Amino acid sequence: MPREHVKGPETGSHRTQGFRGCHGIGHVPGARGRRSLTQAAWPEWRLMAAGKTIMTTFADLGLSANILKALEKTELKMPSPIQVQAIPHIMAGRDLMGLAQTGTGKTAAFGLPLLHRILDLGHPPAPKTVRALILAPTRELVSQIAANLEVFTKGTAVKVAMVVGGASLFKQAEKLKRGADILVATPGRLIDLIERGDVTLNATGYLVLDEADHMLDMGFIHSLRKIAKHIPLKRQTLLFSATMPKDIEELAETYLQNPVKVQVAPPGKPVEKIVQGVHFLPNGDKAMVLKEYLSKHPGEQALVFGRTKHGSEKLMKLLVTWGFKAGSIHGNKSQSQRDRTLTEFRNAQLDVLVATDVAARGIDIPGVRFVYNFDMPNVPENYVHRIGRTARAGKEGTAIAFCAPAEMGEFQAVEKLLKKAIPVLAGAPWSADAVAAAPKPGQNRGQRPNGRGGQKPGSQPKTQRQPGKPGAKPMGAKPMGGSFAPKRSDKPQRRPA
């Protein structure tokens, strides 16, 4: 079929179409206990060309028969917009930068064409080598991508492996001895394996950077540079991001060669079907308001995002005492604990999951109907990723934010990113005086409410000196560095042998 300009769904934009159709799926049912999703969840996307309607189906794409057979079991027949735009270019071997919010089916957008090209090779990978490398920022996202790819590769000889921190390094190294067609990894653990000589990337022909903006937010830029040095320059590179900060543009210029840019929504724009709202309220009132909301939709799954690991764990335990089936995932949890809690939430054994931003991009559970921003995120783009956990695969969702006086700056940054005001559900935006008077997060830790039990403002702490020792330190004084700092000794310390 000759190339022709076609009109894309929703946006009315024009782009080049070089294949009969373009296909993919959003959520993959059957992957690690996920609920099944029928074709009706996605709208029927049609391409208009020369006045004719072209219906896109998996059969039109020319994918391998084994992949088509695996896709038939998913009961999904229609592609999502990002798949409509991205798959033809990837099949043609072009570098690509895809801008799309979470929950739009990006895994299939890059996974299906990569699998098709790898199957064409017809022989297994060499020991310790990797043909396609997919990097993602969190363990949860790596696990999710690998689970989806395993569904796509059923009935094929394609080997999919995953490596993440918090799991056995020895077991991961043993699996990589046989080589992998596709390796899904977090940057840190991959570098560990490279430095140990357990894997080599000199035969890697495909590099995928998923959730690239989040990787930069987490400080992985140096890790990416280190990994890229091990991959041949002659490769196909794909970059997917939900937002488009300047750092992402620079990353694309560095690692992509003449890339095609596809976009299904303006950068930083959340899914249209998410109903948003905000409560302006003091920190001390947040928990009770959250309780009232959760009580209004019993049995429906909700995600609650907190700012800190300690605060999220404390909130989860409070919800449990109130009778909610709640769990938590954050950086203080081991990988096995996080996996177990996610499985329980995915299987509807838990109704509420409290999480920090470590999970904002790694949770793909279609049953999530509500997202609560218990604390406003430090990075405004994280707001988009948080609320993107609901309204997945064409469904509707609700996102409620709680904003305390000290968080007014973060809230304003979110509205600036969204380029629109979030509807106010209760309270009113905090005044400059209220914001200035509010303690910043992390201040006044350990003090009782209303200042009881502490020193009066402006007073000096009492210093009780030990008798007979002029100039001695006050009794009970803590060593410099905080309560967890090691005690100092006047005696010289011997260096261990």
Side-chain angles (χ1 to χ4, degrees):
M1 173 179 174
R3 291 182 179 268
E4 57 187 343
H5 289 287
V6 297
K7 188 175 182 180
E10 289 187 333
T11 62
S13 62
H14 288 75
R15 55 191 174 272
T16 302
Q17 172 72 18
F19 294 84
R20 276 188 72 193
C22 32
H23 318 269
I25 68 173
H27 167 69
V28 182
R32 299 191 178 180
R34 294 178 186 161
R35 298 177 182 175
S36 180
L37 187 63
T38 62
Q39 174 183 342
W42 285 116
E44 294 185 356
W45 305 112
R46 293 175 171 83
L47 301 180
M48 302 300 297
K52 298 180 180 179
T53 300
I54 304 174
M55 177 68 76
T56 58
T57 65
F58 291 120
D60 295 331
L61 185 57
L63 293 170
S64 125
N66 287 328
I67 295 178
L68 290 175
K69 186 176 180 180
L71 291 175
E72 287 175 0
K73 297 178 182 179
T74 67
E75 299 180 358
L76 292 173
K77 308 301 178 185
M78 300 299 152
S80 69
I82 186 63
Q83 296 155 9
V84 168
Q85 297 190 51
I87 289 180
H89 297 299
I90 299 173
M91 292 277 283
R94 295 288 303 276
D95 282 9
L96 181 138
M97 180 166 59
L99 298 176
Q101 60 268 55
T102 55
T104 54
K106 289 180 289 182
T107 301
F110 62 74
L112 292 178
L114 285 184
L115 287 172
H116 176 82
R117 302 194 74 185
I118 289 173
L119 282 170
D120 283 344
L121 298 176
H123 57 85
K128 294 188 178 182
T129 65
V130 172
R131 283 173 168 164
L133 174 63
I134 301 172
L135 293 176
T138 66
R139 308 175 213 174
E140 286 74 22
L141 186 55
V142 166
S143 178
Q144 171 189 307
I145 293 170
N148 285 344
L149 293 176
E150 287 170 1
V151 173
F152 301 151
T153 57
K154 281 184 179 178
T156 74
V158 173
K159 299 178 184 178
V160 178
M162 61 172 277
V163 295
V164 296
S168 170
L169 188 63
F170 174 77
K171 290 182 179 179
Q172 293 174 354
E174 284 295 307
K175 188 170 185 179
L176 288 174
K177 279 184 178 180
R178 301 185 294 272
D181 290 295
I182 300 176
L183 177 62
V184 193
T186 51
R189 176 49 57 96
L190 177 60
I191 290 175
D192 292 340
L193 291 162
I194 292 174
E195 292 177 344
R196 284 166 46 102
D198 293 321
V199 64
T200 176
L201 304 180
N202 57 14
T204 301
Y206 307 97
L207 173 62
V208 180
L209 305 176
D210 195 18
E211 304 288 5
D213 50 349
H214 194 30
M215 276 197 276
L216 296 186
D217 290 341
M218 295 177 69
F220 283 132
I221 183 61
H222 299 295
S223 299
L224 293 178
R225 290 171 181 162
K226 186 177 291 188
I227 292 170
K229 292 178 181 179
H230 295 271
I231 306 175
L233 292 176
K234 188 177 180 182
R235 64 174 185 260
Q236 183 178 11
T237 305
L238 313 174
L239 183 153
F240 287 86
S241 178
T243 59
M244 191 61 181
K246 185 178 180 181
D247 290 346
I248 292 297
E249 294 180 2
E250 295 174 353
L251 188 69
E253 291 176 0
T254 302
Y255 295 108
L256 276 64
Q257 298 292 326
N258 190 27
V260 176
K261 182 178 178 180
V262 298
Q263 181 175 314
V264 298
K269 184 179 180 181
V271 177
E272 294 284 352
K273 293 188 177 182
I274 299 176
V275 178
Q276 301 178 62
V278 60
H279 284 255
F280 293 100
L281 73 176
N283 266 320
D285 295 344
K286 287 183 177 182
M288 289 304 299
V289 175
L290 176 63
K291 178 183 178 182
E292 292 175 6
Y293 268 109
L294 295 176
S295 299
K296 291 177 182 178
H297 53 81
E300 292 189 273
Q301 291 186 299
L303 257 172
V304 180
F305 283 103
R307 175 175 293 189
T308 67
K309 295 175 283 189
H310 174 73
S312 297
E313 185 70 12
K314 186 176 180 180
L315 177 60
M316 180 274 292
K317 292 179 178 178
L318 179 61
L319 293 176
V320 170
T321 63
W322 284 340
F324 295 101
K325 294 187 292 182
S328 66
I329 59 172
H330 47 71
N332 282 349
K333 299 279 188 176
S334 68
Q335 185 60 41
S336 60
Q337 288 175 318
R338 289 158 70 167
D339 288 342
R340 182 168 59 251
T341 301
L342 275 177
T343 298
E344 291 174 350
F345 189 55
R346 185 170 288 123
N347 294 336
Q349 295 173 267
L350 298 176
D351 292 332
V352 184
L353 182 63
V354 185
T356 55
D357 283 315
V358 70
R361 315 239 186 148
I363 300 175
D364 181 15
I365 300 174
V368 175
R369 176 69 175 78
F370 300 89
V371 169
Y372 296 99
N373 282 286
F374 190 82
D375 297 316
M376 295 300 297
N378 290 323
V379 180
E381 287 83 4
N382 283 350
Y383 176 86
V384 177
H385 303 306
R386 287 180 176 189
I387 71 175
R389 299 306 97 200
T390 188
R392 309 282 290 182
K395 294 185 177 181
E396 296 181 350
T398 300
I400 306 297
F402 299 155
C403 180
E407 299 171 306
M408 194 62 195
E410 286 87 343
F411 176 77
Q412 291 171 334
V414 168
E415 287 194 322
K416 182 178 179 181
L417 175 69
L418 300 179
K419 297 180 180 179
K420 70 175 184 179
I422 298 175
V424 177
L425 302 176
W430 298 105
S431 66
D433 291 340
V435 173
K440 300 301 179 186
Q443 288 182 348
N444 299 334
R445 286 183 178 175
Q447 293 187 5
R448 296 180 181 179
N450 302 322
R452 292 191 299 271
Q455 297 293 328
K456 293 181 180 180
S459 65
Q460 298 295 324
K462 296 179 180 179
T463 57
Q464 181 180 357
R465 300 186 183 280
Q466 299 181 29
K469 293 185 178 181
K473 289 183 179 181
M475 293 183 66
K478 296 175 182 176
M480 293 179 65
S483 58
F484 294 99
K487 292 183 178 180
R488 296 184 177 183
S489 173
D490 294 330
K491 296 180 180 180
Q493 300 294 316
R494 292 186 62 186
R495 183 174 297 176

